[in-house]
Amino acid sequence: MKKNWPLWEVFVRSKNGLEHRHFGSLHAADEDMALENARDVYTRRNEGVSIWVVKSKHITASNPEHHGELFEPAQDKVYRHPTFYDLPDEVKHM
Amino acid sequence: MSEEQIKNLEQQFEARIARDEKIEPKDWMPEKYRKTHIRQISQHAHSEIVGMLPEGNWITRAPSLRRKVALLAKVQDEAGHGLYLYSACETLGVSRNELYEQLHTGKAKYSSIFNYPTITWADMGAIGWLVDGAAIINQVPLCSTSYGPYARAMIRVCKEESFHQRQGFEIMMKLANGTPEQKELAQDALNRWWWPSLMMLGPTDAESVHTEQSMKWKLKRKSNDDLRQQFIDQTVPQADLIGLTIPDPNLKWNEERGSYDFGEINWDEFWQVVKGHGPCNKERIDARVNAWNNGEWVRDAAVAYADKKATKKQRQAV
Amino acid sequence: MKENLYNYILGIADNSLILGQRMGELTGHGPSLEIDIACTNISLDLFGQVRSYYQYAAKIAGDGRTEDDIAMLRKERDYLNVLLVEQPNTDFAYTIARQYLFDVYHAMFLTALQSSHDITLSAIATKSIKEVSYHQRFSSDWIKRLGDGTNESKLKIQNAVNTLWTYTDELFHQTEADKAMVTEHIGVDVTQLKKAYYQKVTSLLTEAALEVPKLKWFQKGGKSGIHTEHLGYLLSDLQYMQRTYPNMEW
């Protein structure tokens, strides 16, 4: 038998208050092993307080070829940003 | 796609890299870019993994507990770095197992320096100081290479490796300041590792085949000869500081260039080791193949167990 | 010098030293990169504990010896580790079985040592128990994977458990130093751990679809310095530098 361990993506919360961030990937046979491996591989220097692992195949990713239609339309919607609105300098706390 | 279209895409691609944009796994990329990256990143990963062996040799024999834990942690980091790099390589659509296969069958290369034997404790010092020193010079520029996953892996690697060279130099320093016997160990190790370390920075620019393309893709930021000069210029004063002699009678400060002139490198030896005729080429590959083959039943058991567990879970859910 | 306390500390520390050394042998040769890294972590944890114990022992000895002198310059009969931890890495099943059979004991022992009236020992125990709980998680997960994995892995792990079982009883033997330290509320009464140990191990082996060996005769001797033949080879590696280049600093 020659079955490969599947690939997992590892997300680590560096400290409470921060979000989990993608740290990298690794191989593991099951989810318990994936967590343990993530702990041993990615938090050797005290980098984390919480770990998520997810099988890489379960991640659905957007296609870079659709970059234009997905992301460019948001570029000119300047009214979503506070600087779009002109207010006199005298107005405070806004 | 027509040839015209591909050419167009390629031009856009090169322009993106020139603008310092990063390329990510799902982006379109020329086949040559993908292949070159698989080759370089996997060579790099193999070097980390094979590089564990010469130092791993001395873990059980380290002279003190402090040295033992430092060496263990360092060799473990190399496993980690191999893992990060294999992962980066996997984003290009090749599996770690395929890459192992290439290493085990001799198809893939790794850094030739690891084909030299570690015969005394001082070799741990020399490797950390010189080999890691040369590696850092090679690696730091890669933190800004064009392929995102590789650059990110390298940032992590460089951050973690900062203790490796210090660890090695500290060993050398202690030996150089120790008893005459210890100093002799240190000098002997420097004598044996100096030239291979210079070779480690790659063939001369005249002989180097991939340089121009690699420069464009930021896989390389400086030429081999420049890197070598940088390594020599920074290492010679360190040797002076601890009273060791660089084994090169032609080594001389060149006031005009603001650099050291140095003697002829034995490139014949370099190519022989690359071709598999180094002192330990066979031992290194055998050790990797054995670890992998002896581990097969373990990896298989884990898969079988995971499958059973998943089936059980499914049945419970029904 | 408080001889009983000194010997008591060595009895604890030598286990971690020898097991750490065994785990360290595997670095670079593990069945997968991830397992390689995990085994090295265990080795590093154990050596960290070893250093705390020996530094304390050196202080008690008060004769100028350092942690390294104690670790590397004793004769083979002066090492007090149990026979279990010196058994070789015959294959990964042996590595895991040895680790698991020791981890369960180690975790119970450290839990009890936390209440030692000796504040240094109690502090070391409190720090180490977290590391050892993780070791136990790692090794027991692997016992299950190998036991309930393939036919081949089941055979191998059962074989390793059967072979190593003979060294488990010694974990619960009391030395003179043990008895003295228990009286002073410094040491752990290991005889009290035995029942819970075998219950725990039996339950995991059963869960892993393995058989619990039925053995009536057990090996002993490590605690009084009478070791298996394996230890000598391990020591020749461990002591090589200190013996070849005596009285030097590294």
Side-chain angles (χ1 to χ4, degrees):
Chain A
M1 188 168 72
K2 231 183 172 174
K3 277 178 93 180
N4 298 336
W5 289 359
L7 194 65
W8 301 71
E9 301 300 322
V10 178
F11 300 82
V12 176
R13 186 201 295 287
S14 322
K15 60 178 192 187
N16 274 2
L18 296 179
E19 68 280 61
H20 285 76
R21 200 165 59 78
H22 184 234
F23 260 47
S25 51
L26 48 76
H27 289 271
D30 56 50
E31 57 267 46
D32 293 332
M33 197 200 290
L35 266 182
E36 288 170 19
N37 290 349
R39 178 262 193 193
D40 284 320
V41 172
Y42 287 104
T43 65
R44 299 199 302 285
R45 287 177 170 78
N46 208 9
E47 291 98 333
V49 296
S50 162
I51 302 174
W52 289 346
V53 289
V54 58
K55 260 192 195 159
S56 309
K57 69 170 186 195
H58 292 319
I59 289 185
T60 310
S62 62
N63 187 336
E65 277 168 36
H66 302 156
H67 182 272
E69 62 192 72
L70 286 177
F71 307 114
E72 279 171 28
Q75 282 170 9
D76 65 352
K77 308 293 191 292
V78 284
Y79 43 78
R80 289 202 174 100
H81 300 280
T83 44
F84 179 72
Y85 302 93
D86 287 329
L87 259 62
D89 289 344
E90 296 80 65
V91 184
K92 302 286 180 204
H93 306 298
M94 196 175 283
Chain B
M1 248 184 291
S2 73
E3 243 174 76
E4 187 69 18
Q5 277 171 311
I6 292 182
K7 217 170 153 198
N8 224 333
L9 278 171
E10 276 178 9
Q11 273 167 3
Q12 282 172 24
F13 180 83
E14 300 294 347
R16 284 182 64 192
I17 293 181
R19 282 198 304 271
D20 257 341
E21 276 181 39
K22 297 284 181 213
I23 306 302
E24 293 296 342
K26 295 187 131 222
D27 292 349
W28 183 88
M29 60 184 78
E31 196 47 26
K32 198 170 163 216
Y33 180 91
R34 200 179 73 89
K35 285 213 168 113
T36 305
H37 275 77
I38 290 178
R39 198 186 57 233
Q40 173 159 341
I41 301 171
S42 66
Q43 272 184 19
H44 196 161
H46 297 327
S47 301
E48 297 280 357
I49 299 312
V50 176
M52 295 172 75
L53 301 167
E55 288 175 287
N57 256 338
W58 281 88
I59 287 173
T60 58
R61 288 178 290 172
S64 72
L65 293 172
R66 180 173 180 272
R67 293 284 174 222
K68 197 189 284 281
V69 291
L71 187 62
L72 267 166
K74 178 180 187 244
V75 180
Q76 183 192 45
D77 271 353
E78 282 153 15
H81 298 169
L83 193 151
Y84 307 155
L85 289 162
Y86 283 127
S87 300
C89 214
E90 284 183 274
T91 62
L92 291 162
V94 52
S95 73
R96 196 196 292 176
N97 288 21
E98 290 171 77
L99 298 172
Y100 275 161
E101 191 71 31
Q102 293 173 3
L103 174 69
H104 297 165
T105 53
K107 255 178 74 190
K109 299 261 177 287
Y110 56 87
S111 186
S112 274
I113 194 131
F114 301 119
N115 292 318
Y116 289 87
T118 49
I119 54 182
T120 74
W121 168 252
D123 292 359
M124 298 304 99
I127 289 184
W129 175 31
L130 302 173
V131 177
D132 285 87
I136 290 167
I137 283 185
N138 248 330
Q139 289 173 349
V140 167
L142 288 173
C143 295
S144 55
T145 189
S146 67
Y147 188 55
Y150 192 23
R152 289 192 287 276
M154 288 316 301
I155 289 172
R156 187 173 284 277
V157 167
C158 287
K159 209 155 95 189
E160 296 189 349
E161 261 186 17
S162 52
F163 96 80
H164 293 185
Q165 199 192 7
R166 294 172 71 103
Q167 180 258 169
F169 191 70
E170 198 193 74
I171 291 175
M172 282 308 242
M173 199 164 65
K174 199 85 185 176
L175 292 172
N177 296 329
T179 64
E181 214 176 343
Q182 283 175 307
K183 187 158 185 182
E184 205 179 297
L185 278 177
Q187 184 62 53
D188 167 65
L190 173 57
N191 293 349
R192 282 181 291 108
W193 290 94
W194 174 254
W195 292 104
S197 301
L198 297 190
M199 295 175 196
M200 192 184 154
L201 291 153
T204 55
D205 295 349
E207 300 254 347
S208 183
V209 267
H210 308 296
T211 302
E212 201 190 329
Q213 180 74 84
S214 298
M215 290 274 192
K216 234 169 47 188
W217 288 340
K218 299 174 184 172
L219 271 172
K220 224 173 171 25
R221 319 290 314 241
K222 279 184 183 172
S223 78
N224 293 348
D225 287 338
D226 287 347
L227 292 172
R228 195 163 10 248
Q229 187 70 60
Q230 185 189 337
F231 174 72
I232 293 170
D233 289 347
Q234 76 179 42
T235 309
V236 174
Q238 293 166 354
D240 290 345
L241 190 75
I242 55 175
L244 295 179
T245 312
I246 304 280
D248 178 357
N250 295 316
L251 188 82
K252 213 173 64 204
W253 178 251
N254 182 326
E255 196 67 67
E256 208 174 309
R257 288 200 306 125
S259 269
Y260 283 92
D261 292 336
F262 55 97
E264 192 73 36
I265 293 171
N266 183 350
W267 290 111
D268 203 29
E269 175 182 324
F270 174 77
W271 291 113
Q272 286 305 324
V273 180
V274 170
K275 282 183 199 141
H277 306 306
C280 301
N281 293 58
K282 189 173 162 4
E283 283 86 342
R284 300 296 184 240
I285 291 300
D286 284 354
R288 288 310 314 157
V289 170
N290 283 341
W292 187 245
N293 289 347
N294 294 339
E296 183 165 312
W297 69 271
V298 178
R299 297 189 303 273
D300 285 349
V303 172
Y305 177 76
D307 288 348
K308 283 185 203 175
K309 218 169 55 169
T311 318
K312 219 182 274 172
K313 221 173 175 179
Q314 232 165 25
R315 240 184 262 139
Q316 275 165 359
V318 171
Chain C
M1 178 172 107
K2 301 177 196 163
E3 193 147 345
N4 277 329
L5 179 58
Y6 177 79
N7 282 332
Y8 186 68
I9 297 167
L10 293 196
I12 307 169
D14 288 356
N15 286 335
S16 294
L17 174 74
I18 303 301
L19 189 57
Q21 180 82 353
R22 279 286 184 234
M23 271 314 218
E25 289 171 9
L26 292 175
T27 304
H29 307 277
S32 83
L33 266 185
E34 286 84 353
I35 300 177
D36 206 301
I37 292 172
C39 291
T40 308
N41 268 347
I42 293 179
S43 181
L44 280 168
D45 286 343
L46 292 168
F47 281 122
Q49 297 165 15
V50 163
R51 295 188 66 191
S52 310
Y53 288 126
Y54 287 157
Q55 283 163 12
Y56 184 36
K59 212 166 92 186
I60 291 166
D63 54 6
R65 277 186 300 162
T66 64
E67 53 168 4
D68 293 322
D69 296 335
I70 298 177
M72 299 176 183
L73 288 174
R74 278 180 287 153
K75 308 222 165 58
E76 50 281 69
R77 287 290 314 277
D78 298 331
Y79 284 85
L80 304 177
N81 58 283
V82 292
L83 300 177
L84 175 65
V85 294
E86 70 200 40
Q87 299 311 305
N89 294 309
T90 309
D91 63 20
F92 189 67
Y94 276 80
T95 300
I96 287 300
R98 181 186 63 211
Q99 191 65 38
Y100 175 70
L101 292 173
F102 184 71
D103 287 343
V104 175
Y105 160 80
H106 201 188
M108 288 177 172
F109 176 82
L110 290 173
T111 307
L113 190 65
Q114 283 180 293
S115 355
S116 169
H117 285 194
D118 182 300
I119 49 167
T120 309
L121 285 183
S122 146
I124 299 174
T126 303
K127 181 180 170 289
S128 310
I129 184 77
K130 293 174 195 143
E131 296 168 342
V132 172
S133 305
Y134 186 78
H135 303 171
Q136 193 181 324
R137 171 195 301 269
F138 176 83
S139 61
S140 48
D141 279 356
W142 271 104
I143 292 271
K144 286 189 272 183
R145 287 191 191 103
L146 299 182
D148 202 10
T150 62
N151 289 337
E152 184 185 6
S153 69
K154 186 189 185 70
L155 207 70
K156 284 197 150 113
I157 189 70
Q158 183 72 61
N159 191 24
V161 169
N162 291 350
T163 308
L164 296 175
W165 197 256
T166 189
Y167 303 112
T168 51
D169 191 63
E170 190 194 7
L171 293 165
F172 310 102
H173 293 194
Q174 273 190 319
T175 63
E176 288 311 310
D178 275 20
K179 285 177 194 158
M181 288 301 103
V182 170
T183 322
E184 289 185 41
H185 302 288
I186 288 174
V188 174
D189 183 354
V190 286
T191 60
Q192 298 291 315
L193 307 177
K194 186 169 173 174
K195 200 171 152 211
Y197 173 87
Y198 282 110
Q199 268 172 358
K200 180 147 197 170
V201 171
T202 300
S203 131
L204 184 89
L205 291 181
T206 312
E207 191 190 338
L210 292 169
E211 291 196 14
V212 181
K214 292 181 191 67
L215 210 63
K216 291 280 187 298
W217 184 253
F218 292 91
Q219 299 300 319
K220 59 175 199 262
K223 287 187 174 183
S224 49
I226 301 174
H227 291 277
T228 57
E229 289 177 351
H230 303 296
L231 186 70
Y233 296 99
L234 183 149
L235 292 181
S236 25
D237 268 6
L238 179 72
Q239 302 192 342
Y240 169 72
M241 287 298 291
Q242 292 277 349
R243 297 285 181 200
T244 312
Y245 304 91
N247 302 318
M248 298 182 200
E249 281 186 35
W250 303 96

